[in-house]
Amino acid sequence: MKAFPLLVFGALTLLSGCATTQTSQVNESAPVSNAIAENVEKANPIGTSTSEDVTDQAKQQETLPAATDPTETFIGTTPAYDNLVDRIRSGFAMPDMPRARIQPFIKRFSSNPDYLNRVFARGGPYLHHIVEEIEARGLPMELALLPIVESAYNPQATSHAKAAGLWQFIPSTGRIYELSQDWWMDERRDVIESTRAALDYLEKIYALHDNDWFLALASYNWGEGAVGRAIRRNKAAGRPADYLNLRMPRETRNYVPQLIALRDILESPQNFGLTLPYVANRPYFAVIDKNQSIDLKLAAELAELDPQDFQALNPHLRRPVIEISRTNRIVLPIENVDRFNTNLADYLTKGLPLVTWKPYTMKRGDSLKSIGARAGVSADDLAKANSLKNGKVNLLPGTVLLAPVAAQPSSNASLETTLASFKGARTIEREYVPAKTHVVRRNETWQSIAKKWRVRVADLKALNRSVSQLKEGLRLILRPQTSRTVITEANGRRIYKR
Protein backbone atom coordinates (compact mmCIF):
# COMPACT_ATOMS: atom_id res chain seq x y z
CA MET A 1 0.00 0.00 0.00
CA LYS A 2 1.37 3.42 -0.84
CA ALA A 3 2.57 5.76 1.85
CA PHE A 4 0.68 8.95 2.67
CA PRO A 5 1.77 11.99 4.65
CA LEU A 6 -0.73 12.66 7.53
CA LEU A 7 -2.16 15.91 9.00
CA VAL A 8 -4.19 16.71 12.15
CA PHE A 9 -5.92 19.54 14.04
CA GLY A 10 -3.45 21.96 15.52
CA ALA A 11 -0.76 21.83 12.88
CA LEU A 12 -1.02 23.83 9.67
CA THR A 13 -4.17 25.37 8.22
CA LEU A 14 -5.03 25.36 4.55
CA LEU A 15 -8.01 26.75 2.68
CA SER A 16 -9.51 24.59 0.01
CA GLY A 17 -10.01 26.33 -3.27
CA CYS A 18 -13.18 24.59 -4.38
CA ALA A 19 -16.07 26.96 -4.90
CA THR A 20 -18.74 24.47 -3.89
CA THR A 21 -20.24 24.36 -0.44
CA GLN A 22 -19.02 20.84 0.00
CA THR A 23 -15.37 21.73 0.63
CA SER A 24 -14.29 24.46 2.95
CA GLN A 25 -11.53 24.84 5.49
CA VAL A 26 -8.81 22.25 5.61
CA ASN A 27 -6.90 21.65 8.83
CA GLU A 28 -3.63 19.80 8.73
CA SER A 29 -2.75 17.05 11.14
CA ALA A 30 -0.09 14.48 12.05
CA PRO A 31 2.42 12.85 9.62
CA VAL A 32 4.17 9.56 9.08
CA SER A 33 6.39 8.09 6.41
CA ASN A 34 4.75 4.69 6.17
CA ALA A 35 1.61 3.45 4.52
CA ILE A 36 -1.63 3.23 6.41
CA ALA A 37 -1.54 -0.24 7.89
CA GLU A 38 -3.65 -2.68 5.94
CA ASN A 39 -4.47 -4.80 8.89
CA VAL A 40 -4.94 -4.90 12.59
CA GLU A 41 -2.99 -6.84 15.18
CA LYS A 42 -3.96 -7.99 18.63
CA ALA A 43 -2.93 -5.46 21.20
CA ASN A 44 -1.14 -8.19 23.12
CA PRO A 45 0.93 -9.95 20.47
CA ILE A 46 3.77 -10.80 22.81
CA GLY A 47 1.86 -12.05 25.83
CA THR A 48 1.46 -8.80 27.75
CA SER A 49 -1.60 -8.55 29.93
CA THR A 50 -3.42 -5.42 28.76
CA SER A 51 -3.87 -6.46 25.18
CA GLU A 52 -5.25 -9.88 25.95
CA ASP A 53 -8.73 -8.34 25.81
CA VAL A 54 -8.33 -6.80 22.39
CA THR A 55 -10.22 -8.82 19.83
CA ASP A 56 -9.28 -7.26 16.50
CA GLN A 57 -6.46 -8.96 14.61
CA ALA A 58 -3.88 -7.31 12.39
CA LYS A 59 -2.68 -8.35 9.00
CA GLN A 60 1.00 -8.62 8.16
CA GLN A 61 2.72 -5.25 7.79
CA GLU A 62 5.64 -4.40 5.58
CA THR A 63 8.98 -3.74 7.28
CA LEU A 64 9.77 -0.07 7.74
CA PRO A 65 13.03 1.49 6.59
CA ALA A 66 15.63 1.86 9.28
CA ALA A 67 15.88 5.13 11.14
CA THR A 68 18.77 7.35 10.17
CA ASP A 69 20.90 9.20 12.67
CA PRO A 70 18.85 12.03 14.16
CA THR A 71 19.09 15.22 12.18
CA GLU A 72 18.51 18.32 14.24
CA THR A 73 18.07 21.84 13.00
CA PHE A 74 17.55 24.63 15.49
CA ILE A 75 14.95 27.34 15.19
CA GLY A 76 15.81 29.80 17.92
CA THR A 77 16.36 27.54 20.92
CA THR A 78 13.93 24.77 19.90
CA PRO A 79 15.32 21.70 18.11
CA ALA A 80 13.33 20.58 15.06
CA TYR A 81 13.67 16.85 14.50
CA ASP A 82 13.50 15.18 11.12
CA ASN A 83 12.47 11.89 12.72
CA LEU A 84 9.37 11.94 14.92
CA VAL A 85 10.85 9.15 17.04
CA ASP A 86 13.67 11.53 18.04
CA ARG A 87 11.11 14.18 18.93
CA ILE A 88 9.24 11.69 21.11
CA ARG A 89 12.46 10.61 22.78
CA SER A 90 13.34 14.20 23.66
CA GLY A 91 10.09 14.63 25.60
CA PHE A 92 10.35 11.66 27.97
CA ALA A 93 9.80 12.86 31.54
CA MET A 94 8.32 10.06 33.66
CA PRO A 95 10.40 8.59 36.50
CA ASP A 96 12.32 5.35 36.23
CA MET A 97 11.08 2.05 37.56
CA PRO A 98 13.05 -0.81 39.19
CA ARG A 99 14.70 -2.87 36.48
CA ALA A 100 13.23 -6.09 37.79
CA ARG A 101 9.70 -4.80 37.09
CA ILE A 102 10.33 -3.81 33.48
CA GLN A 103 12.93 -6.35 32.35
CA PRO A 104 10.41 -9.06 31.32
CA PHE A 105 8.65 -6.57 29.04
CA ILE A 106 11.89 -5.19 27.62
CA LYS A 107 12.81 -8.76 26.72
CA ARG A 108 9.45 -9.44 25.09
CA PHE A 109 9.35 -6.23 23.06
CA SER A 110 13.01 -6.30 22.05
CA SER A 111 12.78 -9.92 20.94
CA ASN A 112 9.90 -9.01 18.61
CA PRO A 113 11.29 -6.20 16.41
CA ASP A 114 8.79 -7.00 13.66
CA TYR A 115 5.98 -6.24 16.08
CA LEU A 116 7.43 -2.80 16.87
CA ASN A 117 7.79 -2.12 13.14
CA ARG A 118 4.15 -3.08 12.54
CA VAL A 119 2.93 -0.95 15.42
CA PHE A 120 4.78 2.11 14.17
CA ALA A 121 3.53 1.46 10.63
CA ARG A 122 -0.05 1.23 11.84
CA GLY A 123 0.23 4.15 14.25
CA GLY A 124 2.24 6.31 11.87
CA PRO A 125 -0.72 8.14 10.36
CA TYR A 126 -1.90 9.17 13.84
CA LEU A 127 1.34 9.61 15.75
CA HIS A 128 2.27 13.16 14.78
CA HIS A 129 -1.10 14.49 15.83
CA ILE A 130 -0.84 12.75 19.19
CA VAL A 131 2.67 14.12 19.73
CA GLU A 132 1.49 17.64 18.88
CA GLU A 133 -1.36 17.41 21.37
CA ILE A 134 0.84 16.02 24.15
CA GLU A 135 3.48 18.67 23.54
CA ALA A 136 0.92 21.48 23.50
CA ARG A 137 -0.26 20.46 26.97
CA GLY A 138 3.25 20.06 28.37
CA LEU A 139 2.69 16.40 29.17
CA PRO A 140 5.36 13.66 29.22
CA MET A 141 5.96 12.12 25.81
CA GLU A 142 5.68 8.59 27.23
CA LEU A 143 1.95 9.09 26.72
CA ALA A 144 2.50 8.87 22.95
CA LEU A 145 3.42 5.22 23.55
CA LEU A 146 0.33 4.43 25.62
CA PRO A 147 -1.79 3.39 22.60
CA ILE A 148 0.78 0.65 21.95
CA VAL A 149 -0.03 -0.83 25.34
CA GLU A 150 -3.76 -0.16 25.00
CA SER A 151 -4.53 -1.16 21.42
CA ALA A 152 -1.33 -1.74 19.43
CA TYR A 153 -2.26 1.55 17.74
CA ASN A 154 -5.37 0.02 16.19
CA PRO A 155 -8.42 2.35 16.21
CA GLN A 156 -10.69 -0.62 15.44
CA ALA A 157 -9.54 -2.60 18.49
CA THR A 158 -12.33 -3.70 20.83
CA SER A 159 -11.82 -5.45 24.17
CA HIS A 160 -14.04 -8.00 25.88
CA ALA A 161 -15.07 -5.20 28.24
CA LYS A 162 -16.28 -3.24 25.17
CA ALA A 163 -13.45 -0.70 25.37
CA ALA A 164 -12.77 0.69 21.90
CA GLY A 165 -10.29 2.70 19.86
CA LEU A 166 -6.64 3.67 20.19
CA TRP A 167 -7.14 4.77 23.79
CA GLN A 168 -9.60 1.98 24.73
CA PHE A 169 -12.45 3.99 26.21
CA ILE A 170 -15.28 1.99 27.74
CA PRO A 171 -18.73 3.37 26.77
CA SER A 172 -19.46 5.14 30.06
CA THR A 173 -16.11 6.94 30.31
CA GLY A 174 -16.38 7.88 26.65
CA ARG A 175 -19.70 9.57 27.29
CA ILE A 176 -18.28 11.46 30.28
CA TYR A 177 -15.61 12.88 27.98
CA GLU A 178 -18.10 13.77 25.25
CA LEU A 179 -17.29 11.02 22.78
CA SER A 180 -20.48 10.45 20.77
CA GLN A 181 -21.53 6.81 20.50
CA ASP A 182 -24.59 6.01 18.47
CA TRP A 183 -25.78 4.00 15.49
CA TRP A 184 -24.06 6.36 13.06
CA MET A 185 -20.61 6.74 14.59
CA ASP A 186 -18.40 5.95 17.55
CA GLU A 187 -16.01 8.75 18.45
CA ARG A 188 -14.05 6.45 20.74
CA ARG A 189 -12.46 5.34 17.47
CA ASP A 190 -12.03 8.90 16.17
CA VAL A 191 -8.30 9.57 16.48
CA ILE A 192 -8.71 13.30 16.98
CA GLU A 193 -11.59 13.26 19.45
CA SER A 194 -10.40 10.23 21.42
CA THR A 195 -6.93 11.75 21.81
CA ARG A 196 -8.46 14.94 23.16
CA ALA A 197 -10.61 12.92 25.58
CA ALA A 198 -7.74 10.65 26.68
CA LEU A 199 -5.45 13.57 27.48
CA ASP A 200 -8.26 15.37 29.31
CA TYR A 201 -8.84 12.28 31.41
CA LEU A 202 -5.15 11.66 32.07
CA GLU A 203 -4.65 15.27 33.19
CA LYS A 204 -7.58 14.93 35.58
CA ILE A 205 -6.40 11.72 37.25
CA TYR A 206 -2.79 12.99 37.34
CA ALA A 207 -3.98 15.93 39.43
CA LEU A 208 -6.23 13.64 41.48
CA HIS A 209 -3.17 11.59 42.50
CA ASP A 210 -1.03 14.58 43.47
CA ASN A 211 0.92 14.59 40.19
CA ASP A 212 1.93 10.94 40.32
CA TRP A 213 1.96 9.57 36.78
CA PHE A 214 2.20 5.92 37.81
CA LEU A 215 -0.94 6.17 39.93
CA ALA A 216 -2.66 8.16 37.18
CA LEU A 217 -1.90 5.43 34.65
CA ALA A 218 -3.08 2.75 37.06
CA SER A 219 -6.35 4.66 37.37
CA TYR A 220 -6.63 4.90 33.58
CA ASN A 221 -6.37 1.12 33.37
CA TRP A 222 -8.16 -0.05 36.52
CA GLY A 223 -10.39 2.90 37.37
CA GLU A 224 -9.80 5.82 39.69
CA GLY A 225 -12.21 4.42 42.29
CA ALA A 226 -10.42 1.08 42.46
CA VAL A 227 -7.00 2.73 42.78
CA GLY A 228 -8.34 5.08 45.44
CA ARG A 229 -9.62 2.14 47.50
CA ALA A 230 -6.28 0.34 47.15
CA ILE A 231 -4.47 3.46 48.37
CA ARG A 232 -6.76 3.80 51.39
CA ARG A 233 -6.26 0.14 52.29
CA ASN A 234 -2.48 0.52 52.26
CA LYS A 235 -2.58 3.71 54.32
CA ALA A 236 -4.89 2.10 56.87
CA ALA A 237 -2.45 -0.80 57.17
CA GLY A 238 0.55 1.51 57.51
CA ARG A 239 2.03 0.40 54.19
CA PRO A 240 3.41 2.62 51.39
CA ALA A 241 0.66 3.75 49.03
CA ASP A 242 2.64 4.21 45.82
CA TYR A 243 2.11 2.25 42.58
CA LEU A 244 4.79 -0.35 43.32
CA ASN A 245 3.26 -1.28 46.68
CA LEU A 246 -0.45 -1.38 45.87
CA ARG A 247 -2.31 -4.66 45.54
CA MET A 248 -3.73 -4.60 42.02
CA PRO A 249 -4.96 -7.00 39.33
CA ARG A 250 -2.17 -8.53 37.22
CA GLU A 251 -3.12 -6.43 34.20
CA THR A 252 -2.78 -3.16 36.11
CA ARG A 253 0.36 -4.35 37.90
CA ASN A 254 1.98 -4.93 34.51
CA TYR A 255 0.47 -1.89 32.79
CA VAL A 256 2.97 0.81 33.72
CA PRO A 257 6.01 -1.50 33.45
CA GLN A 258 5.04 -2.16 29.83
CA LEU A 259 4.96 1.55 29.10
CA ILE A 260 8.29 2.24 30.83
CA ALA A 261 9.83 -0.73 29.01
CA LEU A 262 8.76 0.78 25.70
CA ARG A 263 10.13 4.14 26.81
CA ASP A 264 13.51 2.62 27.65
CA ILE A 265 13.67 0.80 24.32
CA LEU A 266 12.93 3.99 22.38
CA GLU A 267 15.42 5.89 24.49
CA SER A 268 18.34 3.61 23.60
CA PRO A 269 17.30 1.08 20.94
CA GLN A 270 20.93 0.26 20.16
CA ASN A 271 21.30 -1.18 23.65
CA PHE A 272 18.79 -3.86 22.70
CA GLY A 273 20.08 -4.54 19.21
CA LEU A 274 17.18 -2.70 17.60
CA THR A 275 16.84 -0.17 14.82
CA LEU A 276 13.57 1.71 15.12
CA PRO A 277 11.51 2.72 12.08
CA TYR A 278 11.74 6.20 10.63
CA VAL A 279 8.62 8.33 11.11
CA ALA A 280 8.62 11.68 9.37
CA ASN A 281 8.11 14.63 11.72
CA ARG A 282 5.43 16.34 9.69
CA PRO A 283 1.63 16.33 9.46
CA TYR A 284 0.08 13.40 7.63
CA PHE A 285 -3.63 14.08 7.18
CA ALA A 286 -5.97 16.99 6.57
CA VAL A 287 -9.36 17.57 8.15
CA ILE A 288 -11.89 18.87 5.63
CA ASP A 289 -15.01 20.61 6.84
CA LYS A 290 -18.15 19.91 4.82
CA ASN A 291 -21.76 21.06 4.86
CA GLN A 292 -23.54 18.27 3.02
CA SER A 293 -23.92 14.57 3.59
CA ILE A 294 -21.98 12.28 1.26
CA ASP A 295 -21.65 8.55 0.67
CA LEU A 296 -18.55 7.16 2.34
CA LYS A 297 -17.66 5.17 -0.78
CA LEU A 298 -18.05 8.25 -2.98
CA ALA A 299 -15.87 10.35 -0.66
CA ALA A 300 -13.14 7.72 -0.93
CA GLU A 301 -13.46 7.61 -4.71
CA LEU A 302 -13.28 11.40 -5.04
CA ALA A 303 -10.15 11.39 -2.88
CA GLU A 304 -8.74 8.56 -5.03
CA LEU A 305 -8.36 6.37 -1.97
CA ASP A 306 -9.07 2.72 -1.43
CA PRO A 307 -12.10 2.48 0.92
CA GLN A 308 -9.92 0.64 3.43
CA ASP A 309 -7.42 3.53 3.51
CA PHE A 310 -10.25 6.03 3.83
CA GLN A 311 -11.72 4.06 6.74
CA ALA A 312 -8.31 3.93 8.45
CA LEU A 313 -8.38 7.73 8.72
CA ASN A 314 -12.10 7.84 9.54
CA PRO A 315 -12.52 4.77 11.76
CA HIS A 316 -15.37 6.31 13.75
CA LEU A 317 -17.77 6.28 10.78
CA ARG A 318 -20.06 3.24 10.92
CA ARG A 319 -22.45 3.69 7.99
CA PRO A 320 -22.27 4.03 4.19
CA VAL A 321 -23.35 7.67 4.52
CA ILE A 322 -21.36 10.43 6.28
CA GLU A 323 -24.35 12.30 7.66
CA ILE A 324 -23.82 16.05 8.10
CA SER A 325 -25.85 16.51 11.31
CA ARG A 326 -23.60 13.94 13.05
CA THR A 327 -20.23 15.10 11.74
CA ASN A 328 -19.16 17.92 9.46
CA ARG A 329 -15.68 16.68 8.61
CA ILE A 330 -13.73 13.98 6.87
CA VAL A 331 -10.03 13.18 7.22
CA LEU A 332 -7.80 12.70 4.16
CA PRO A 333 -4.09 12.32 3.46
CA ILE A 334 -2.71 15.77 2.67
CA GLU A 335 -1.62 14.77 -0.78
CA ASN A 336 -5.18 13.71 -1.65
CA VAL A 337 -6.94 16.94 -0.63
CA ASP A 338 -6.50 18.74 -3.95
CA ARG A 339 -7.61 15.66 -5.86
CA PHE A 340 -10.71 15.43 -3.69
CA ASN A 341 -11.63 19.08 -4.27
CA THR A 342 -11.03 18.87 -8.02
CA ASN A 343 -12.93 15.62 -8.43
CA LEU A 344 -15.79 16.87 -6.26
CA ALA A 345 -16.18 20.03 -8.34
CA ASP A 346 -16.28 17.95 -11.53
CA TYR A 347 -18.74 15.52 -9.96
CA LEU A 348 -21.14 18.27 -8.91
CA THR A 349 -21.21 19.81 -12.39
CA LYS A 350 -22.73 16.54 -13.60
CA GLY A 351 -25.70 16.93 -11.28
CA LEU A 352 -25.10 13.56 -9.66
CA PRO A 353 -26.27 12.87 -6.08
CA LEU A 354 -23.82 12.90 -3.18
CA VAL A 355 -26.00 10.47 -1.20
CA THR A 356 -27.57 7.27 -2.49
CA TRP A 357 -28.93 5.83 0.78
CA LYS A 358 -31.94 6.73 2.90
CA PRO A 359 -34.29 5.08 5.44
CA TYR A 360 -36.76 2.50 4.14
CA THR A 361 -39.65 0.76 5.92
CA MET A 362 -39.97 -2.87 4.90
CA LYS A 363 -43.30 -4.08 3.53
CA ARG A 364 -44.92 -7.48 3.21
CA GLY A 365 -42.89 -9.63 0.84
CA ASP A 366 -39.69 -7.63 1.34
CA SER A 367 -36.41 -9.28 2.31
CA LEU A 368 -32.83 -8.06 2.38
CA LYS A 369 -32.24 -10.05 -0.80
CA SER A 370 -35.18 -8.53 -2.69
CA ILE A 371 -34.40 -4.97 -1.53
CA GLY A 372 -30.75 -5.32 -2.46
CA ALA A 373 -31.60 -6.82 -5.85
CA ARG A 374 -33.57 -3.70 -6.79
CA ALA A 375 -30.42 -1.61 -6.34
CA GLY A 376 -27.68 -4.06 -7.30
CA VAL A 377 -26.54 -4.49 -3.70
CA SER A 378 -26.00 -7.89 -2.08
CA ALA A 379 -28.06 -8.93 0.92
CA ASP A 380 -24.88 -9.28 2.97
CA ASP A 381 -23.76 -5.72 2.10
CA LEU A 382 -27.18 -4.41 3.06
CA ALA A 383 -26.96 -6.31 6.34
CA LYS A 384 -23.48 -4.93 7.01
CA ALA A 385 -24.68 -1.37 6.36
CA ASN A 386 -27.22 -1.86 9.15
CA SER A 387 -25.09 -3.96 11.56
CA LEU A 388 -27.21 -7.07 11.07
CA LYS A 389 -25.83 -10.59 11.53
CA ASN A 390 -26.02 -11.53 7.85
CA GLY A 391 -28.12 -11.20 4.73
CA LYS A 392 -30.30 -14.18 5.62
CA VAL A 393 -31.85 -12.67 8.75
CA ASN A 394 -35.65 -12.88 8.53
CA LEU A 395 -37.03 -9.38 9.12
CA LEU A 396 -40.73 -8.61 9.45
CA PRO A 397 -42.75 -5.77 7.85
CA GLY A 398 -42.31 -2.53 9.76
CA THR A 399 -38.55 -2.94 10.04
CA VAL A 400 -36.80 0.35 9.19
CA LEU A 401 -33.39 0.17 7.51
CA LEU A 402 -30.88 2.33 5.73
CA ALA A 403 -31.25 1.16 2.13
CA PRO A 404 -30.22 2.33 -1.37
CA VAL A 405 -32.41 5.06 -2.80
CA ALA A 406 -32.59 3.03 -6.03
CA ALA A 407 -34.49 0.31 -4.17
CA GLN A 408 -37.23 2.69 -2.98
CA PRO A 409 -40.12 4.65 -4.47
CA SER A 410 -39.32 8.27 -5.30
CA SER A 411 -40.11 10.88 -2.67
CA ASN A 412 -40.26 14.66 -2.46
CA ALA A 413 -39.01 14.70 1.13
CA SER A 414 -35.66 16.41 1.76
CA LEU A 415 -32.97 13.75 1.89
CA GLU A 416 -30.89 15.71 4.42
CA THR A 417 -33.90 16.16 6.70
CA THR A 418 -34.82 12.49 6.40
CA LEU A 419 -31.31 11.36 7.25
CA ALA A 420 -30.97 13.81 10.14
CA SER A 421 -34.14 12.49 11.78
CA PHE A 422 -33.16 8.83 11.31
CA LYS A 423 -31.67 7.52 14.55
CA GLY A 424 -30.82 4.15 13.05
CA ALA A 425 -32.17 0.78 12.04
CA ARG A 426 -35.17 -0.59 13.96
CA THR A 427 -35.63 -4.27 13.25
CA ILE A 428 -38.57 -6.59 13.90
CA GLU A 429 -37.96 -10.33 14.00
CA ARG A 430 -39.76 -13.49 15.08
CA GLU A 431 -37.63 -15.34 17.60
CA TYR A 432 -38.17 -18.98 18.55
CA VAL A 433 -37.42 -20.02 22.12
CA PRO A 434 -36.56 -23.75 22.35
CA ALA A 435 -38.39 -26.06 24.70
CA LYS A 436 -37.03 -26.53 28.20
CA THR A 437 -36.62 -30.17 29.22
CA HIS A 438 -35.57 -32.40 32.11
CA VAL A 439 -33.94 -35.84 31.90
CA VAL A 440 -35.38 -38.20 34.50
CA ARG A 441 -32.91 -39.65 37.00
CA ARG A 442 -33.14 -42.82 39.07
CA ASN A 443 -35.81 -42.76 41.81
CA GLU A 444 -37.28 -39.40 40.66
CA THR A 445 -41.05 -38.95 40.84
CA TRP A 446 -43.51 -36.52 39.30
CA GLN A 447 -43.66 -34.77 42.66
CA SER A 448 -39.86 -34.45 43.11
CA ILE A 449 -39.38 -33.16 39.56
CA ALA A 450 -42.22 -30.65 39.93
CA LYS A 451 -40.77 -29.42 43.23
CA LYS A 452 -37.30 -29.06 41.73
CA TRP A 453 -38.51 -26.90 38.85
CA ARG A 454 -41.23 -25.13 40.85
CA VAL A 455 -44.10 -26.21 38.65
CA ARG A 456 -47.37 -27.94 39.45
CA VAL A 457 -47.58 -31.71 39.02
CA ALA A 458 -50.77 -31.35 36.99
CA ASP A 459 -49.09 -28.93 34.58
CA LEU A 460 -46.05 -31.19 34.23
CA LYS A 461 -48.24 -34.19 33.40
CA ALA A 462 -50.32 -32.13 30.95
CA LEU A 463 -47.18 -31.27 28.98
CA ASN A 464 -46.18 -34.93 28.88
CA ARG A 465 -49.50 -36.71 28.23
CA SER A 466 -47.84 -39.56 26.34
CA VAL A 467 -45.77 -40.53 29.39
CA SER A 468 -47.51 -43.16 31.48
CA GLN A 469 -44.58 -44.17 33.66
CA LEU A 470 -41.34 -42.38 34.56
CA LYS A 471 -38.16 -44.15 33.52
CA GLU A 472 -34.53 -43.20 34.00
CA GLY A 473 -33.24 -41.31 30.94
CA LEU A 474 -36.69 -40.19 29.79
CA ARG A 475 -36.82 -36.56 28.66
CA LEU A 476 -39.75 -34.56 30.01
CA ILE A 477 -40.96 -31.22 28.66
CA LEU A 478 -40.95 -28.49 31.29
CA ARG A 479 -41.84 -25.67 28.89
CA PRO A 480 -42.86 -26.10 25.24
CA GLN A 481 -41.18 -24.27 22.39
CA THR A 482 -42.54 -20.75 22.03
CA SER A 483 -42.05 -17.81 19.72
CA ARG A 484 -42.00 -14.10 20.34
CA THR A 485 -41.56 -10.88 18.42
CA VAL A 486 -38.33 -9.04 19.11
CA ILE A 487 -37.97 -5.35 18.30
CA THR A 488 -34.38 -4.08 18.35
CA GLU A 489 -33.96 -0.31 18.55
CA ALA A 490 -31.04 1.63 17.06
CA ASN A 491 -29.46 1.92 20.52
CA GLY A 492 -29.51 -1.87 20.92
CA ARG A 493 -32.45 -1.98 23.35
CA ARG A 494 -34.62 -5.06 22.76
CA ILE A 495 -38.39 -5.19 23.30
CA TYR A 496 -40.10 -8.58 23.48
CA LYS A 497 -43.73 -9.24 22.55
CA ARG A 498 -45.62 -12.53 22.52
Side-chain angles (χ1 to χ4, degrees):
M1 203 175 302
K2 75 187 282 192
F4 301 112
L6 180 69
L7 287 168
V8 205
F9 285 129
L12 306 174
T13 301
L14 303 174
L15 295 177
S16 86
C18 180
T20 70
T21 57
Q22 182 65 19
T23 58
S24 55
Q25 190 171 9
V26 179
N27 298 305
E28 294 186 356
S29 182
V32 132
S33 65
N34 283 86
I36 299 173
E38 295 180 53
N39 302 297
V40 187
E41 175 167 14
K42 252 189 166 181
N44 195 357
I46 57 174
T48 55
S49 59
T50 300
S51 58
E52 63 191 13
D53 282 339
V54 177
T55 58
D56 297 275
Q57 304 238 342
K59 301 176 188 174
Q60 182 64 34
Q61 303 299 322
E62 58 187 291
T63 302
L64 298 181
T68 58
D69 292 334
T71 301
E72 297 184 15
T73 57
F74 287 84
I75 304 172
T77 59
T78 304
Y81 296 98
D82 179 61
N83 189 347
L84 188 61
V85 174
D86 296 324
R87 182 178 173 187
I88 292 171
R89 184 183 294 125
S90 72
F92 289 152
M94 288 187 186
D96 291 329
M97 181 169 279
R99 197 71 178 178
R101 293 294 297 270
I102 64 174
Q103 186 58 37
F105 302 106
I106 287 179
K107 183 177 179 180
R108 289 177 181 177
F109 284 123
S110 61
S111 63
N112 288 272
D114 289 344
Y115 166 68
L116 291 177
N117 282 340
R118 291 195 300 273
V119 166
F120 275 99
R122 185 161 56 246
Y126 322 122
L127 193 55
H128 184 275
H129 171 66
I130 291 172
V131 168
E132 289 275 304
E133 293 299 305
I134 291 171
E135 201 170 74
R137 296 175 186 235
L139 300 176
M141 204 53 73
E142 284 91 343
L143 297 179
L145 308 179
L146 194 58
I148 299 178
V149 180
E150 285 287 347
S151 65
Y153 257 112
N154 168 25
Q156 296 295 355
T158 305
S159 78
H160 296 302
K162 300 189 184 303
L166 292 182
W167 299 94
Q168 289 290 283
F169 274 97
I170 60 173
S172 57
T173 307
R175 285 188 289 271
I176 291 171
Y177 287 88
E178 299 180 339
L179 296 176
S180 296
Q181 302 160 61
D182 59 24
W183 188 82
W184 286 93
M185 68 178 185
D186 187 346
E187 286 189 330
R188 294 178 300 160
R189 304 189 191 280
D190 183 316
V191 175
I192 296 168
E193 285 302 309
S194 68
T195 297
R196 182 267 309 158
L199 297 183
D200 284 350
Y201 184 33
L202 285 163
E203 284 185 315
K204 175 196 169 185
I205 51 183
Y206 175 61
L208 179 69
H209 291 296
D210 297 323
N211 298 347
D212 185 318
W213 273 115
F214 290 175
L215 290 177
L217 290 165
S219 292
Y220 190 89
N221 175 257
W222 190 21
E224 56 203 84
V227 173
R229 288 189 293 273
I231 290 172
R232 289 193 294 274
R233 280 196 299 269
N234 273 31
K235 287 182 176 179
R239 295 194 298 267
D242 61 326
Y243 175 83
L244 294 174
N245 286 284
L246 295 184
R247 184 176 180 181
M248 299 177 289
R250 182 171 64 91
E251 178 181 309
T252 308
R253 192 168 62 250
N254 293 336
Y255 186 73
V256 177
Q258 287 182 70
L259 182 67
I260 299 304
L262 284 166
R263 187 272 306 278
D264 286 4
I265 289 172
L266 258 71
E267 204 160 38
S268 304
Q270 67 281 358
N271 291 348
F272 308 100
L274 296 175
T275 302
L276 295 178
Y278 173 86
V279 182
N281 185 24
R282 64 176 184 274
Y284 189 95
F285 59 78
V287 177
I288 299 181
D289 295 329
K290 62 186 184 65
N291 60 9
Q292 296 179 51
S293 299
I294 186 171
D295 282 358
L296 188 149
K297 183 179 178 181
L298 175 60
E301 289 175 356
L302 296 176
E304 299 180 17
L305 284 174
D306 183 275
Q308 186 178 355
D309 290 343
F310 184 90
Q311 195 75 54
L313 291 179
N314 299 273
H316 58 295
L317 302 176
R318 304 180 63 195
R319 304 301 158 199
V321 178
I322 308 172
E323 203 276 307
I324 185 62
S325 73
R326 272 86 184 180
T327 180
N328 66 344
R329 61 177 174 79
I330 58 175
V331 181
L332 299 174
I334 291 174
E335 68 178 41
N336 292 70
V337 170
D338 287 343
R339 299 178 210 171
F340 177 84
N341 287 337
T342 299
N343 292 336
L344 175 60
D346 291 343
Y347 184 88
L348 291 174
T349 61
K350 300 174 183 177
L352 298 172
L354 293 173
V355 176
T356 61
W357 295 74
K358 70 176 183 179
Y360 174 69
T361 302
M362 293 181 66
K363 299 173 177 56
R364 187 177 300 276
D366 275 339
S367 66
L368 292 181
K369 183 177 180 180
S370 66
I371 295 170
R374 297 199 293 266
V377 175
S378 73
D380 284 340
D381 284 344
L382 189 54
K384 182 179 179 181
N386 291 275
S387 295
L388 304 177
K389 288 181 290 187
N390 55 57
K392 296 180 181 179
V393 61
N394 187 23
L395 301 175
L396 301 179
T399 291
V400 185
L401 301 171
L402 192 64
V405 172
Q408 307 181 41
S410 59
S411 170
N412 294 325
S414 165
L415 187 55
E416 292 287 14
T417 302
T418 302
L419 288 170
S421 62
F422 183 55
K423 293 182 179 180
R426 182 178 187 270
T427 61
I428 306 174
E429 303 171 73
R430 196 68 183 165
E431 181 180 86
Y432 292 92
V433 181
K436 185 175 182 178
T437 62
H438 172 80
V439 178
V440 178
R441 297 178 180 178
R442 180 179 299 179
N443 298 325
E444 282 191 320
T445 65
W446 289 105
Q447 288 75 17
S448 65
I449 295 171
K451 182 178 180 181
K452 177 179 180 179
W453 293 104
R454 298 181 181 181
V455 296
R456 296 193 308 167
V457 172
D459 292 338
L460 186 60
K461 288 184 174 182
L463 288 171
N464 298 273
R465 294 180 187 278
S466 62
V467 178
S468 59
Q469 184 179 356
L470 294 182
K471 296 180 180 180
E472 185 180 354
L474 182 69
R475 187 177 295 275
L476 298 180
I477 297 174
L478 300 173
R479 185 192 64 213
Q481 176 179 294
T482 59
S483 65
R484 58 187 179 183
T485 299
V486 182
I487 301 172
T488 305
E489 304 283 1
N491 61 6
R493 187 169 71 99
R494 291 165 69 89
I495 303 169
Y496 297 96
K497 295 183 178 181
R498 294 292 180 184

